Amino acid sequence: MSFRPAASTDEALALEIRGVSKQYGRFPALKNVSLQARDREFLALLGPSGSGKTTLLRVLAGLEEPDAGEVRFGGEDFLALPVRQRKVGMVFQHYALFRHMTVAQNIAFGLTVRKRSEKPSRSEIADRVADLLSLVQMEDLGKRFPAQLSGGQRQRVALARALAIEPRMLLLDEPFGALDAQVRRELRRWLRELHDRAGVTTVFVTHDQEEALDLADRVAILKDGELIQLGKPNEVYEHPATPFVFDFLGQSCRLPGMVDGGRLRVADWETAAPAGAPQGAVEVFFRPDEVDFAPADGAGLVAQIQGIARRGPDVRIDCLVEGATMELQAHGPSLPTGVTSGLPVRIRPQRPQLYPAG
Amino acid sequence: MTDHVAAPPVIRSGGDIAPRPRRLKEHSILPGFGLSLGITLVYLALIVILPLAALALRPWEIGLDGVWRTLTDERVAAALKISFGLSLLAALTNAPLGLLIAWTLTRYEFPGRRIMDALVDLPFALPTAVAGIALTALYAPNGPLGAMAAKIGLKTAYSPLGIFIALVFIGLPFVVRSIQPVLEDLDRGVEEAAQTLGATDLQRIAYVVIPALGPAILSGVSLAFARAVGEYGSVIFIAGNMPLKTEIAPLLIVIKLEQYDYAGAAAIGLAMLAISFGALVVMNVLQIALARRGRA
């Protein structure tokens, strides 16, 4: 069975969002957001709560109407279509299953509500439900009610229900938000495989940066209703556009510095400034685990080690740098050479990111 | 250590080892079970069980034969039929209307919504005789609504239709107030899911909203039914009280009492009690079955 939507001739662009704004009373939820998704792309909308990511998803589904802007899908004006004609498969954080229906009835719902002329026969519906049940690995559970399932199973049913209508686009609103960490990771892998097999353009909302970076083809980072950065996971991780993105994508350390004539100076340490660095006073950001250690008489920033704590596979190193406490990280069982509690070492960030100060 | 383990059980003065007392209920961590159950039982006994037991005992003074003759009397049978038939009809009529009102009150924001919300409770608060007189004034042949109905050949007051109107009036708040909180708590995501799956508004309401409200609707209907069966004040003014045609069972009981036929009155009362109890049990079983489907 194929879950491919009706073949789209435009391979390049499936979804085009242009200048979408939405206001709730006086609170702007979306400010002039524009972005595109290619056919069969897996796009993650990432941001803290209140960033507008869920509002954008609901605009795509037709559950919210934007105040301004344009949404096109496969060249068609999507905003002109009512929700039920958009054929998008939506998966909600709290599953939103029909409690009074069995799993099989839930999955069949989108087919049974079709107009008589478009409705598959009873046996076709049964076959399709069986196929979907096996796709979500729940072959034997079709007769159960949602209340008799675990959270992970419920979300798989919700996904099967959304796929049953052969959606043109799959929209997922924090689908794993209510599940525990172990189940989340399993479902994440599985969802990606499912997407690759089904080949549906997918937009995925999450506030978990690890999830977004792990799953998506491209990540859109939103803050306060604005699109801050859009790119492949490794691009945005390695070159965050703003200090906010740097902070949001992982743990960060920061120090004030100065760029002058291609040289970066932080306290008494001087090194070549990375290409494209801003001139003048800068904020130097780096990841706590992307640091080289050197002996106290070597080159780098002086760090006074204050404490060393093992945390599972990692080692946390608390130190004092330029009068401020800093938390560094090293991987693996052995400590970097020369790192001893109470003694100074020199540290050099491997890939400092520079942003204009202020 | 070993000698401690083998320590003999303490022998009580009676010589027997006290057996572990059999428990009637699972041990609860919440204190006060005995007291709460005691008060509940005493209260129920005084308010519900004793009067009903008296009612159940009274009719047999006239013997099984007398009870049978009372209940098979044409006038009594007709009154029971009118009371239960119209009560059920009124309660069922209130289901769609109550649902619509609850829907309007919870789903839309409009000026006067709060006032309308408060109005729903009025049939609860009004003395029923006042309601009965007001309804009669409206629906009597010379009243504004009664005159209009008469033009199209409908007799409202002093007919079964009048009784029906009064019973709808007093039953409405039960249905609305049963549905409203459940409707308010209904997860909007479920309806949105139905919409994205292609359901029309009607399909969404029929397949998603109403099944979710099923137990609440049923509970409202059974409350309204129970209330309507026992209703007296609002009905007797509008009914006209013609024997065999518009005479309700509670009125017949009053008539028997006025004739000092206490046993006969109690016989009718007992019959009403039995029928009501049966109907409520059926509705409760249905309601539990409906509610269990979604939870299990």
Side-chain angles (χ1 to χ4, degrees):
Chain A
M1 175 173 66
S2 158
F3 294 100
R4 297 247 151 92
S8 143
T9 45
D10 191 358
E11 271 289 306
L13 275 187
L15 175 67
E16 292 168 79
I17 301 167
R18 260 191 235 122
V20 165
S21 297
K22 170 85 190 167
Q23 194 120 355
Y24 288 117
R26 300 185 59 190
F27 173 74
L30 288 173
K31 293 182 218 159
N32 195 20
V33 173
S34 298
L35 66 99
Q36 287 97 36
R38 281 186 295 276
D39 192 26
R40 296 179 198 180
E41 188 171 41
F42 200 123
L43 182 73
L45 302 179
L46 175 67
S49 57
S51 61
K53 55 192 192 305
T54 294
T55 306
L56 184 56
L57 195 78
R58 291 173 63 82
V59 166
L60 296 183
L63 297 168
E64 299 285 350
E65 213 161 309
D67 302 330
E70 203 183 2
V71 177
R72 296 189 158 272
F73 190 88
E76 198 182 354
D77 182 4
F78 226 37
L79 294 180
L81 292 177
V83 188
R84 63 191 179 84
Q85 283 170 23
R86 291 192 190 191
K87 279 191 82 172
V88 295
M90 178 110 177
V91 174
F92 297 82
Q93 182 178 1
H94 296 290
Y95 326 124
L97 293 177
F98 308 127
R99 292 202 314 193
H100 60 282
M101 295 183 201
T102 62
V103 167
Q105 287 169 332
N106 264 280
I107 296 173
F109 185 84
L111 302 175
T112 51
V113 295
R114 283 198 187 158
K115 270 187 291 189
R116 191 158 301 213
S117 56
E118 295 164 15
K119 189 147 105 182
S121 73
R122 201 178 274 252
S123 66
E124 281 169 342
I125 292 181
D127 288 348
R128 185 140 182 82
V129 168
D131 283 345
L132 284 160
L133 278 173
S134 78
L135 185 76
V136 297
Q137 298 152 16
M138 292 180 63
E139 288 91 342
D140 303 329
L141 302 178
K143 292 206 174 76
R144 296 262 186 105
F145 284 97
Q148 298 165 314
L149 304 177
S150 71
Q153 289 173 325
R154 285 181 210 182
Q155 202 54 293
R156 299 210 306 255
V157 174
L159 203 57
R161 182 179 69 175
L163 287 171
I165 59 167
E166 297 187 299
R168 308 169 70 183
M169 180 163 62
L170 200 53
L171 304 175
L172 304 144
D173 185 8
E174 306 217 15
F176 308 140
L179 303 172
D180 59 60
Q182 182 71 28
V183 181
R184 268 175 102 112
R185 257 192 300 279
E186 274 168 32
L187 278 185
R188 200 196 283 174
R189 296 266 120 210
W190 175 81
L191 174 66
R192 180 67 220 204
E193 275 169 36
L194 192 77
H195 166 266
D196 294 345
R197 262 206 282 169
V200 185
T201 310
T202 301
V203 182
F204 179 96
V205 159
T206 181
H207 64 259
D208 181 339
Q209 86 286 351
E210 198 192 313
E211 203 165 86
L213 296 175
D214 187 22
L215 259 176
D217 294 325
R218 284 193 304 156
V219 179
I221 295 153
L222 287 100
K223 185 199 176 204
D224 299 334
E226 279 176 290
L227 179 67
I228 306 286
Q229 194 174 3
L230 175 64
K232 295 192 172 127
N234 59 331
E235 280 171 16
V236 293
Y237 188 75
E238 279 164 27
H239 303 287
T242 67
F244 164 78
V245 177
F246 195 102
D247 247 347
F248 194 70
L249 291 181
Q251 285 165 291
S252 59
C253 302
R254 65 167 81 184
L255 287 167
M258 180 66 80
V259 175
D260 193 12
R263 302 294 289 170
L264 164 67
R265 236 173 336 101
V266 183
D268 63 344
W269 174 54
E270 201 183 296
T271 182
Q279 287 291 312
V282 291
E283 289 259 35
V284 182
F285 278 71
F286 56 96
R287 302 284 174 209
D289 58 342
E290 294 182 345
V291 169
D292 289 327
F293 292 88
D297 56 357
L301 286 156
V302 179
Q304 185 76 32
I305 311 284
Q306 293 186 311
I308 294 170
R310 293 183 183 278
R311 291 279 178 272
D314 296 335
V315 183
R316 202 180 76 199
I317 302 160
D318 290 313
C319 53
L320 203 62
V321 179
E322 289 298 301
T325 56
M326 193 173 278
E327 208 177 88
L328 299 176
Q329 251 176 42
H331 301 294
S334 57
L335 279 174
T337 43
V339 174
T340 315
S341 192
L343 293 179
V345 287
R346 296 263 179 178
I347 57 166
R348 289 191 304 265
Q350 293 161 354
R351 295 187 301 141
Q353 288 284 323
L354 310 186
Y355 302 101
Chain B
M1 277 306 281
T2 43
D3 49 353
H4 285 290
V5 173
V10 178
I11 308 291
R12 302 230 172 156
S13 50
D16 281 338
I17 301 165
R20 214 181 126 83
R22 260 189 67 159
R23 290 191 177 272
L24 284 174
K25 51 139 204 156
E26 283 297 306
H27 182 76
S28 164
I29 208 159
L30 207 65
F33 171 73
L35 187 64
S36 326
L37 185 68
I39 292 175
T40 307
L41 281 180
V42 169
Y43 193 76
L44 271 180
L46 285 176
I47 304 290
V48 181
I49 300 172
L50 277 180
L52 290 186
L55 175 67
L57 290 177
R58 194 72 195 249
W60 311 112
E61 287 170 6
I62 51 174
L64 196 59
D65 191 43
V67 172
W68 180 247
R69 246 185 295 115
T70 309
L71 293 183
T72 49
D73 175 48
E74 201 186 4
R75 193 174 164 192
V76 175
L80 285 174
K81 219 168 99 190
I82 287 167
S83 271
F84 283 97
L86 287 176
S87 294
L88 190 64
L89 205 62
L92 290 179
T93 307
N94 268 326
L97 290 175
L99 177 64
L100 189 73
I101 292 173
W103 178 274
T104 310
L105 289 177
T106 46
R107 286 301 164 89
Y108 306 106
E109 198 53 64
F110 54 92
R113 190 178 62 90
R114 279 171 195 289
I115 294 172
M116 206 164 126
D117 197 26
L119 276 179
V120 169
D121 283 334
L122 266 191
F124 272 148
L126 219 56
T128 51
V130 175
I133 292 165
L135 285 173
T136 310
L138 265 179
Y139 286 102
N142 55 354
L145 289 176
M148 262 160 59
K151 269 192 201 138
I152 55 167
L154 268 182
K155 191 167 186 242
T156 45
Y158 316 130
S159 78
L161 186 59
I163 303 178
F164 171 77
I165 291 170
L167 294 182
V168 167
F169 171 82
I170 52 121
L172 182 67
F174 291 95
V175 181
V176 175
R177 291 295 181 236
S178 298
I179 297 173
Q180 208 175 357
V182 184
L183 194 56
E184 271 167 10
D185 286 347
L186 204 65
D187 176 15
R188 293 305 296 269
V190 174
E191 287 180 63
E192 289 173 349
Q195 278 179 290
T196 61
L197 291 168
T200 61
D201 289 349
L202 267 180
Q203 286 173 325
R204 173 164 55 99
I205 290 166
Y207 300 148
V208 176
V209 178
I210 291 184
L213 294 177
I217 295 174
L218 206 56
S219 127
V221 166
S222 41
L223 283 173
F225 170 76
R227 171 68 202 271
V229 166
E231 180 57 18
Y232 178 75
S234 63
V235 177
I236 49 161
F237 292 99
I238 199 168
N241 308 326
M242 281 172 296
L244 299 177
K245 289 201 184 105
T246 59
E247 192 174 54
I248 56 168
L251 176 67
L252 205 54
I253 294 176
V254 174
I255 291 172
K256 294 250 183 229
L257 289 178
E258 279 168 352
Q259 294 165 346
Y260 305 106
D261 180 6
Y262 294 125
I268 302 174
L270 188 61
M272 291 186 74
L273 184 68
I275 301 172
S276 302
F277 188 72
L280 289 179
V281 166
V282 169
M283 286 188 194
N284 265 318
V285 168
L286 254 171
Q287 197 185 323
I288 290 168
L290 265 186
R292 186 172 291 159
R293 268 204 316 185
R295 271 162 249 269

